[in-house]
């Protein structure tokens, strides 16, 4: 069985996906987003106490991610039996054309969905709007009367989405009003969105026009998050519960799926150091440290199956013991 979050990221993302998810959720007035779910969520699910979203990487291969999500759920034992696993799929135009999908199927540029860009059709809703729609469904107490925890997780390209969504996402509010905890799990992304112009590699930033543009910084933000001030976005982000999972062996500066743009290189040479540098920057804020944690996953490189089924991964997704304090 293919592993979702590891070697498949090497392959180019300019080919149509091998499979389109079987379920749909409405986003905006005219758009439909494909997704997988581990149970029929069209009716009430009173047995569900936890929902875990797993976001695919740049290959848009939600089918592979869903199989791996189910593996993680099985590894969680009894907690997993009360968990709904959800894997949304952000398609590109080439996918819609290849499968002759209906005109209301949302599609993005090949990589625009990673930073919350607007869809290119059938209406310009953000990929973050799509996540909002999923969280709104989970916040419906008629469907999920006993839901207590929602986890939004991703590895590699999916982790880039999760980190940016944790800054700007609007879907958390209805859940927290209902007493549902929400947290974000960011595992081995290539880059992070900074709130200031300072970078770990200032000499690279100095020779990189646009290094502080979104999705690496706060300039030229897309419409979804253009309204709030940078200070307001940062205030929201630091208050949210974010767990960074970093594989201690994800240290290859020439990994074929590593973002090698000067914008990313200004954040560090490889994923492990980029993650630690970002976390240190956030911890050193004048206004105080955020509600964030960083857990090293020992002996694991750029492999999401091993990351998210590790003791730290299972704690991040399912609150199982075995990683760090607590």
């Amino acid at each position: 069985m293919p592993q979702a979050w590891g070697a498949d990221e090497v392959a180019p993302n300019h080919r149509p996906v091998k499979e389109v998810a079987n379920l749909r959720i409405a986003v905006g007035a005219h758009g439909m987003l494909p997704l997988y779910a581990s149970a029929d969520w069209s009716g009430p699910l009173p047995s569900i106490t936890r929902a875990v979203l797993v976001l695919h990487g740049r290959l848009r291969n939600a089918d592979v991610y869903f199989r791996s999500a189910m593996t993680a759920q099985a590894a969680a034992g009894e907690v997993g039996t009360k968990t709904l696993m959800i894997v949304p799929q952000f398609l590109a135009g080439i996918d819609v054309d290849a499968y002759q999908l209906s005109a209301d199927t949302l599609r993005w540029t090949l990589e625009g969905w990673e930073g919350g860009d607007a869809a290119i059709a059938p209406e310009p809703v953000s990929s973050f709007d799509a996540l909002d729609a999923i969280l709104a469904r989970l916040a419906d107490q008629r469907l999920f009367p006993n839901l207590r925890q929602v986890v939004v997780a991703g590895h590699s390209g999916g982790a880039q989405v999760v980190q940016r969504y944790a800054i700007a996402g609007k879907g958390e509010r209805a859940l927290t009003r209902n007493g549902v905890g929400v947290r974000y799990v960011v595992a081995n992304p290539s880059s992070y969105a900074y709130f200031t112009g300072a970078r770990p590699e200032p000499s690279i930033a100095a020779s990189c026009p646009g290094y502080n543009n979104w999705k690496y910084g706060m300039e030229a933000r897309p419409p979804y998050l253009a309204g709030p001030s940078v200070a307001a976005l940062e205030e929201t982000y630091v208050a949210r519960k974010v767990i960074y999972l970093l594989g201690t062996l994800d240290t290859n500066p020439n990994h074929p799926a590593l973002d090698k743009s000067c914008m990313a290189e200004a954040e560090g040479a490889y994923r492990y150091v980029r993650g630690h540098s970002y976390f240190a920057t956030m911890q050193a804020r004048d206004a105080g440290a955020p509600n964030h944690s960083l857990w090293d996953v020992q002996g694991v490189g750029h492999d999401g199956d091993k990351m998210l089924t590790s003791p730290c991964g299972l704690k991040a997704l399912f609150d199982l013991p075995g990683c760090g304090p607590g």
Side-chain angles (χ1 to χ4, degrees):
M1 183 175 66
Q3 292 194 337
W5 299 294
D8 72 329
E9 290 290 338
V10 173
N13 62 339
H14 293 255
R15 295 194 295 261
V17 296
K18 293 183 178 178
E19 185 175 310
V20 176
N22 61 327
L23 302 177
R24 300 290 185 273
I25 187 170
V27 182
H30 308 290
M32 300 296 288
L33 181 81
L35 55 80
Y36 294 98
S38 61
D40 179 3
W41 68 338
S42 61
L45 289 174
S47 66
I48 295 298
T49 59
R50 175 183 303 263
V52 176
L53 281 67
V54 178
L55 304 193
H56 62 71
R58 64 176 184 162
L59 296 186
R60 310 179 303 283
N61 53 342
D63 57 321
V64 179
Y65 274 70
F66 183 57
R67 289 194 292 270
S68 290
M70 297 300 287
T71 300
Q73 181 186 32
E78 183 179 356
V79 176
T81 65
K82 300 176 182 178
T83 300
L84 176 67
M85 307 298 292
I86 303 167
V87 179
Q89 189 171 32
F90 299 100
L91 296 176
I94 55 174
D95 307 317
V96 174
D97 293 341
Y99 289 92
Q100 298 182 326
L101 300 176
S102 61
D104 62 359
T105 304
L106 286 165
R107 78 278 325 238
W108 283 264
T109 61
L110 290 172
E111 296 179 354
W113 54 272
E114 291 184 354
D117 285 0
I120 57 176
E123 60 178 311
V125 294
S126 168
S127 50
F128 295 165
D129 286 311
L131 295 178
D132 288 345
I134 294 172
L135 296 192
R137 171 79 66 90
L138 295 173
D140 186 340
Q141 294 184 307
R142 297 167 299 178
L143 296 174
F144 298 96
N146 297 307
L147 188 68
R148 294 295 176 263
Q149 181 70 54
V150 171
V151 182
V152 184
H155 179 267
S156 194
Q160 293 190 50
V161 184
V162 175
Q163 196 265 326
R164 277 74 175 187
Y165 184 72
I167 292 172
K170 305 178 180 92
E172 176 177 316
R173 298 168 192 163
L175 288 162
T176 55
R177 280 198 300 267
N178 294 345
V180 179
V182 180
R183 67 172 170 265
Y184 305 88
V185 179
V186 179
N188 292 343
S190 267
S191 66
Y192 301 79
Y194 277 74
F195 292 97
T196 73
R199 291 293 185 276
E201 300 291 340
S203 62
I204 296 177
S207 60
C208 181
Y211 83 94
N212 202 35
N213 286 351
W214 185 262
K215 61 186 178 177
Y216 306 92
M218 291 293 129
E219 296 175 12
R221 301 190 300 277
Y224 181 95
L225 65 162
S229 67
V230 174
L233 291 170
E234 184 175 7
E235 183 179 357
T236 296
Y237 187 58
V238 299
R240 289 180 167 171
K241 184 168 185 180
V242 179
I243 299 171
Y244 306 96
L245 294 180
L246 299 178
T248 60
L249 299 184
D250 199 350
T251 56
N252 181 1
N254 296 306
H255 189 281
L258 180 68
D259 185 343
K260 297 287 287 180
S261 69
C262 62
M263 294 84 77
E265 292 281 278
E267 299 187 8
Y270 45 82
R271 294 185 189 89
Y272 183 71
V273 74
R274 290 176 188 178
H276 271 275
S277 294
Y278 185 78
F279 183 75
T281 295
M282 296 303 296
Q283 291 293 112
R285 295 172 65 251
D286 291 338
N291 187 27
H292 300 174
S293 303
L294 186 154
W295 301 342
D296 278 347
V297 181
Q298 297 295 329
V300 177
H302 199 65
D303 185 320
D305 285 294
K306 291 180 180 178
M307 290 289 293
L308 296 181
T309 59
S310 69
C312 286
L314 293 175
K315 181 176 181 179
L317 299 184
F318 301 103
D319 289 298
L320 298 187
C323 171

